[in-house]
Amino acid sequence: MKPLSRYASLNDYLDLARSLGLEPARLIRDCGLDPAGFGTQDRWIPAEAVAELLERSAAESGREDFGLRMAQLRRFANLGPLSLVIREEPDVRSALRLLARHEHMYNEALHTEIIEANGVATLRVSVDVGRPAPVRQAVELTTGVLHGLLRGFLGPTWRPIQICFSHPAPRDRATYYKMFGPHVEFDQDFDGILTYSTDLDAPNAMADPQLRTYAQRLMGRLTPTREATVTDRVRELVELLLPTGRCTVEQVARSLGVDRRTVHRRLAQDNTTFSAIVDDTRAALAERLVTHRRHSLTEVADMLGFSSVSNFSRWFRTRYGTSPRQWREQRPRH
């Protein structure tokens, strides 16, 4: 199977394309994608089509920095469920390692490697769409997003030692210098970012130690291989869709590009069911959220996809033999 990517990898594409005078709907269809799919960010699509769309858009707009411009529009939350876990890591190094280990959750074509030597950390990025094809824009988008993530952790004054691109230099480097600073080099042996190893030791100010155990548990249930099974993908989609109120087998099936019967059949082959996956995902998060008093029970019910507190309470009592309020009162305060 060729590498897949989520529609979320094209976040902000429509707005950028229109701002540059392009016809995004036509370009999207020409690359074999569905313009309506942009409303379902968690749906899987061929990574090759994503790379082709970026290359065509750069060519038609005359903007060699098209991928980099998309990166400028990205936010931390665009990483989807990974963002919820990465933000709980204690330092920058562990957050980046977690990102590299589970980047296939949102794009199977991406590969990130962290190499440290002599006080310098090299963050290498590559894009493999399954066959030889132009990926310049995808590489620049990926590098820009990684750079933005580092600035989010280290603050706006952080600057890399150097940004490296293996492709030739563009005619206009203004966007590159504005985003990365003056140390951008082209025609290099690899694509990626050089920074000091001490930067990776910086603590993660966003982390909440109380939720880190749950976050580790969540990631521990995901396969470390890039050949994710249907069950793995269903579980990822459930974790993503649960708080939105759209966590149905129909929605998951549409995201995977199959029908609901196929989802049920493939899950049965793995000796599980859609309901069991939803229930287990809810339980893992419910235990943490109810025990720690950071959120009200109304907020917890909403985060777990229940229509009301009473429905959540009935589910909780059925599973644990006590109400969530009693569970909370019986646990010591943290």
Side-chain angles (χ1 to χ4, degrees), residues 141-216:
L141 171 60
T142 302
T143 304
V145 169
L146 183 58
H147 176 269
L149 181 63
L150 284 167
R151 290 195 75 186
F153 283 126
L154 298 170
T157 60
W158 171 80
R159 286 290 184 271
I161 298 174
Q162 187 171 304
I163 300 292
C164 298
F165 290 116
S166 59
H167 49 257
R171 292 184 297 274
D172 184 354
R173 306 189 188 190
T175 303
Y176 299 82
Y177 292 151
K178 179 180 179 181
M179 186 168 187
F180 299 127
H183 303 295
V184 184
E185 300 293 337
F186 297 87
D187 292 311
Q188 299 298 300
D189 294 333
F190 69 97
D191 299 294
I193 301 173
L194 272 66
T195 190
Y196 294 107
S197 290
T198 52
D199 290 337
L200 305 190
D201 295 326
N204 176 10
M206 295 187 292
D208 178 353
Q210 293 183 347
L211 285 180
R212 188 170 184 238
T213 301
Y214 164 71
Q216 291 176 328

Side-chain angles (χ1 to χ4, degrees), residues 30-32 47-58 129 131 134:
D30 288 348
C31 294
E48 181 180 353
V50 173
E52 181 184 357
L53 178 60
L54 296 178
E55 294 297 325
R56 288 195 182 198
S57 300
V129 298
R131 72 174 185 86

Side-chain angles (χ1 to χ4, degrees), residues 58-107:
E60 287 201 17
S61 65
R63 301 284 186 173
E64 293 179 281
D65 57 1
F66 189 90
L68 210 58
R69 286 172 177 260
M70 276 187 64
Q72 289 179 315
L73 301 174
R74 289 299 170 88
R75 299 292 180 268
F76 184 69
N78 291 145
L79 290 174
L82 257 184
S83 64
L84 302 176
V85 182
I86 290 173
R87 67 182 299 162
E88 305 308 331
E89 288 301 293
D91 53 53
V92 177
R93 180 181 288 99
S94 58
L96 291 177
R97 285 176 176 169
L98 191 67
L99 176 67
R101 191 160 61 248
H102 296 287
E103 57 195 359
H104 62 284
M105 284 179 59
Y106 57 94
N107 194 331

Side-chain angles (χ1 to χ4, degrees), residues 214 217 278-291 300 304 306 312-328 330-331:
Y214 164 71
R217 212 170 136 191
V278 172
D279 211 43
D280 288 345
T281 302
R282 274 178 167 156
L285 185 53
E287 290 183 20
R288 300 295 301 175
L289 293 176
V290 173
T291 299
V300 172
L304 296 178
F306 289 96
F312 167 55
S313 296
R314 281 194 293 272
W315 170 85
F316 195 94
R317 184 180 290 277
T318 299
R319 187 175 183 96
Y320 296 104
T322 185
S323 72
R325 190 174 302 281
Q326 291 171 328
W327 174 286
R328 175 169 282 184
Q330 293 168 0
R331 265 65 184 176

